[in-house]
Amino acid sequence: MTMSEPTGNGKAHLLEVEAISKYYGNIVALKDISTYVNAGEVTCILGDNGAGKSSFIKILSGVHRADEGRVLIEGQEMHFASPRDARAQGIATVYQDLAMVPLMSIWRNFFLGAEPQKGVGPLRWFDSATAKRVVRQELRDMGIDIRDPDQPVGTLSGGERQSVAIARAVHFGARVLILDEPTSALGVKQAGVVLRYIVQARDRGVAVIFISHNPHHAYPVGDRFVILNRGRMLGSYAKTAITREELIRQMAGGAELDELQHELEQIVQE
């Protein structure tokens, strides 16, 4: 299947990019990147630092516009002038800093900027009872076990905070959920917590874009893998078409890695 072909059921892809490029002066951040994501799938965008992952995120989330190429939602070309435009199309991005206030409670962070209200006209106030009830239900539906929604977000582990951010995005109607290196600063156990909730979001019909430099985290949850290197796409693979070992090899540079190993063996023999 080429990038521009429809899905197997005849429908256009939920989100698709066609030959997008981004330049910063003479620096090529992205060059001719084409891929797609569909509902109920996890697409992993993999690459080391400087691969172009951040520029890719910023184009999809409306922070930057591509200098070349197209972004399509269900086959319709879109031009995002701001992150608000992307959110209006159901594209939600969870960045590494999570945009949370550590001293505020979980339920207040969950509704930050979109608080449910009671009353009419100027006599309106924050409906805290509804907010707490919704947060408990949403976290329960995602399988997230939070002891008390009144506790400050700063008391949660890194994995729990990521999980709350994922549940928040799903609650507010995300059709495409972009996760920016959600496991990069986490230990093994906490990374496992986040990966579990990525699968939960996928199983609820969300199209997940998992940005990572760690193939060990990406492979268990990914349905498709797109490998970037210095702004260019090295390959796009369905999970059935690539093993974990080959994915690691592709990210590590393949032939370059073999050459380095050969050089090191020569040095040891000398």
Side-chain angles (χ1 to χ4, degrees), residues 132-143:
K132 292 179 183 181
R133 176 177 53 79
V134 170
V135 167
R136 286 193 184 96
Q137 186 62 48
E138 285 294 323
L139 297 181
R140 190 178 303 119
D141 288 348
M142 287 286 289

Side-chain angles (χ1 to χ4, degrees), residues 10 20 69 78 225 254:
I20 60 171
M78 293 290 167
F225 307 96

Side-chain angles (χ1 to χ4, degrees), residues 28 47 65 92 94 125 129 134 146 155 177 216 234 269:
V28 179
R65 292 187 67 170
V94 176
W125 63 92
V134 170
I146 297 295
T155 64
L177 176 61
H216 297 286
L234 291 185
Q269 291 173 3

Side-chain angles (χ1 to χ4, degrees), residues 1 14 19 40 63 77 81 87 91 96 122 142-143 149 158 178 201 250 264:
M1 178 184 291
L14 176 53
V63 176
E77 186 171 355
R87 287 195 298 269
I91 300 174
Q96 291 184 54
M142 287 286 289
I178 304 172
Q250 291 279 355
L264 291 175

Side-chain angles (χ1 to χ4, degrees), residues 248-263:
I248 295 169
R249 174 182 163 79
Q250 291 279 355
M251 287 189 63
E256 293 180 15
L257 189 64
D258 290 341
E259 184 177 343
L260 175 60
Q261 183 176 350
H262 178 70
E263 290 177 4

